[in-house]
Amino acid sequence: MNVLASRVRGSEDVLDVVSREAPTRRELRAARDRQRGYSINVKQIVLAFAVEFVIIGLILTNTLLMVAQLPDATTAKIIQAMLFPIAMAMVELARVPLAIAVRTQTSWNIKLASLLGVLCAVAVTSNSLYSIGASSFTPRLEDTHKKDSQIKELEDRQQQFKSQIEAAREEMDRRERERNAAVSAVQSLQAQLAQQKPQDCAVVTVAPNPAAPPGTPSSTRQVCRENPLIKRLDSEISIARTRSNDAEAALRQAQDQYSKVANDKGLREIQEQITKATTENRESIFQSQLHSLAAMIFGVDPNNVTPDQIKRVEFYLIFVSSIAAALSSTLIAMTAVRRIRVAETDPSIELPDEAMTYLFGPLLVALRQEAREAVNTAMKDGAGLKGAAQ
């Protein structure tokens, strides 16, 4: 009987517990959110922190690679270079809590202070991401710059060869003019010599001999002298011929030098190298994203894109992308907070006890009555079994 009585009391206790059903975890969380006035999407917060950790990893990896590429990189220099990025990483992690505080804090002073912290963190992140973006485009730009420098060097060498050819041609033309002038001088002197008479002859009157008889008439005779101009012209012609021979020899030397420079194989090799380098440079430009984007924006051929245009496109592209990436986790964290407007009266909380009794009282009475009948039936069955056993 004691056992049956304890079972009855246990059944009534169970019914009381069932009648007072404990709230679930979701209901407790909903009640907490209603009490504080907002709810937070945990998945979005986890995603925001995941974005932050990815960005931090990229920044630290980029810094490590930049320092490792230095010619005199040491462990001390690597550690020293990583200190500042690690400090900035802490600022990165602070952006998500600050973004949540902007939505959850009720004081406008705290909201504005949190917003200022978010903007500072965005500026830090944008600067770090800009460095990563610049490093991403640097290899392709370095390749195009290297090709441009190679072409410029080859063109300078080609220009040097052309300058040597031009100087040799000018020297040859000058020697030819000097030779022609010397030949003309010889021909002119020879023409003057041909026009001269070999001798100058004149009739000279000779007075009679004093010993001759008076009345002896004077006699005449022809006196011829060598033309003095012939000797001078011969000397000048000899000098002119010497000059002409020297000019002819200098002309032949200038012609040989011009032929040697003009037919030099180095010029043809340089021209072939320029053609090859130009082809490689064109292919490198077509594979450069910045060149293609700059050509599309400015409406020019990719080969005609200037370094200034590339730098402008690179700045705006990386700058805008860096700000967008920096704001991504911030926006995710801000949108994870949802404000809850609590009603002035909550029927589920302010329901009077009389109403609860009126609604659920008959049900509890019926359950208790059914439980008692089940217990009485069990007691009777147990008593009959006991008597039969005796």
Side-chain angles (χ1 to χ4, degrees):
M1 294 297 293
N2 294 332
V3 174
L4 292 175
S6 62
R7 289 181 179 178
V8 171
R9 288 194 298 271
S11 301
E12 291 179 352
D13 294 336
V14 170
L15 292 175
D16 292 339
V17 172
V18 172
S19 63
R20 300 190 306 270
E21 183 179 357
T24 63
R25 184 177 180 181
R26 180 179 298 178
E27 292 175 345
L28 291 175
R29 188 166 57 248
R32 180 199 61 190
D33 293 341
R34 284 195 301 270
Q35 182 179 3
R36 65 186 184 183
Y38 62 87
S39 64
I40 297 178
N41 191 326
V42 179
K43 293 181 179 180
Q44 287 188 234
I45 299 301
V46 173
L47 177 60
F49 274 108
V51 173
E52 289 295 333
F53 281 113
V54 170
I55 293 176
I56 291 172
L58 293 176
I59 293 173
L60 297 180
T61 303
N62 180 68
T63 306
L64 182 62
L65 292 176
M66 291 178 60
V67 178
Q69 292 176 0
L70 296 176
D72 55 345
T74 60
T75 304
K77 288 185 178 181
I78 294 176
I79 295 175
Q80 186 177 10
M82 296 297 294
L83 295 178
F84 184 73
I86 292 174
M88 294 299 100
M90 299 300 100
V91 179
E92 294 287 335
L93 292 177
R95 187 166 72 250
V96 173
L98 290 174
I100 297 175
V102 173
R103 294 294 311 280
T104 58
Q105 293 293 328
T106 57
S107 174
W108 280 102
N109 294 332
I110 303 300
K111 283 181 177 288
L112 293 177
S114 301
L115 182 60
L116 178 61
V118 169
L119 295 178
C120 293
V122 168
V124 171
T125 307
S126 301
N127 184 32
S128 300
L129 292 178
Y130 186 91
S131 177
I132 296 176
S135 300
S136 300
F137 290 108
T138 297
R140 180 58 58 190
L141 292 178
E142 285 182 351
D143 186 48
T144 56
H145 291 334
K146 186 181 298 183
K147 293 293 190 301
D148 290 337
S149 300
Q150 184 179 1
I151 292 175
K152 185 67 171 57
E153 182 181 356
L154 292 174
E155 288 178 348
D156 291 341
R157 292 175 56 188
Q158 184 185 40
Q159 186 61 36
Q160 291 178 359
F161 272 100
K162 290 182 177 180
S163 299
Q164 293 177 0
I165 294 174
E166 185 66 23
R169 182 168 52 237
E170 291 179 357
E171 179 67 15
M172 183 181 64
D173 293 340
R174 187 176 69 83
R175 294 297 183 180
E176 186 176 3
R177 290 192 298 271
E178 292 178 353
R179 191 277 310 270
N180 294 336
V183 172
S184 298
V186 172
Q187 294 175 352
S188 177
L189 292 173
Q190 288 177 347
Q192 293 179 17
L193 180 61
Q195 295 176 0
Q196 298 297 324
K197 296 178 179 180
Q199 294 180 344
D200 288 337
C201 296
V203 177
V204 179
T205 301
V206 180
N209 192 351
T216 301
S218 301
S219 60
T220 61
R221 65 177 181 176
Q222 186 177 7
V223 178
C224 293
R225 292 182 305 174
E226 184 179 359
N227 191 349
L229 292 177
I230 292 177
K231 185 176 182 180
R232 191 184 68 181
L233 289 174
D234 287 337
S235 177
E236 292 179 358
I237 289 173
S238 176
I239 296 173
R241 284 177 177 173
T242 302
R243 292 177 179 175
S244 177
N245 293 333
D246 294 340
E248 185 69 25
L251 176 60
R252 291 195 190 95
Q253 184 178 1
Q255 289 174 343
D256 294 340
Q257 181 65 23
Y258 174 76
S259 177
K260 179 181 179 181
V261 175
N263 297 324
D264 192 354
K265 295 181 180 179
L267 181 60
R268 290 194 298 270
E269 292 177 356
I270 289 176
Q271 291 175 347
E272 294 175 356
Q273 292 176 3
I274 290 176
T275 302
K276 181 180 178 181
T278 302
T279 303
E280 294 177 352
N281 186 41
R282 187 180 298 109
E283 294 177 355
S284 177
I285 289 175
F286 285 148
Q287 294 176 1
S288 175
Q289 298 177 353
L290 288 178
H291 282 79
S292 301
L293 186 58
M296 181 182 63
I297 293 175
F298 295 102
V300 296
D301 186 83
N303 293 314
N304 297 328
V305 175
T306 63
D308 179 66
Q309 293 174 338
I310 293 177
K311 285 298 180 183
R312 289 165 58 185
V313 172
E314 180 183 9
F315 173 77
Y316 289 112
L317 176 62
I318 300 178
F319 181 73
V320 174
S321 301
S322 300
I323 294 179
L327 289 175
S328 60
S329 59
T330 303
L331 296 177
I332 293 174
M334 284 186 174
T335 55
V337 179
R338 183 174 63 90
R339 304 296 301 182
I340 299 176
R341 292 185 178 181
V342 182
E344 295 182 358
T345 58
D346 192 347
S348 63
I349 298 177
E350 297 183 0
L351 187 64
D353 295 339
E354 293 79 4
M356 294 289 292
T357 304
Y358 177 77
L359 291 175
F360 299 104
L363 178 60
L364 294 175
V365 171
L367 291 173
R368 288 175 179 174
Q369 182 63 31
E370 185 177 355
R372 289 192 183 97
E373 292 177 357
V375 171
N376 292 332
T377 302
M379 292 176 64
K380 291 179 180 180
D381 294 340
L385 292 173
K386 184 176 180 181
Q390 291 177 356

